[in-house]
Amino acid sequence: MSEGVRYCWRCDEPITKEHPGTSAVKVSISAGGAVIWLHKECPRLPPFVIRIPR
């Protein structure tokens, strides 16, 4: 199964070579142990995140 593009949980920007990230495992019964990705340093932090299909 392909994971595709990973997005930062904080800023919703893609994790790339220019802006590397790390994974943090969040164990949750409802999420099934989802893996959350975070930038080491986010390129920008918007006041709020609007998720729209890319």
Side-chain angles (χ1 to χ4, degrees):
M1 181 175 193
S2 176
E3 290 186 26
V5 179
R6 297 179 178 130
Y7 291 93
C8 178
W9 184 69
R10 284 188 208 120
C11 67
D12 205 36
E13 291 292 316
I15 306 260
T16 61
K17 290 182 181 180
E18 294 82 25
H19 301 286
T22 59
S23 65
V25 178
K26 178 180 179 183
V27 178
S28 171
I29 294 171
S30 62
V35 177
I36 294 175
W37 289 87
L38 302 170
H39 281 119
K40 291 181 181 175
E41 188 173 317
C42 289
R44 65 183 179 94
L45 285 175
F48 60 92
V49 175
I50 299 173
R51 293 187 180 263
I52 54 175
R54 297 182 193 264

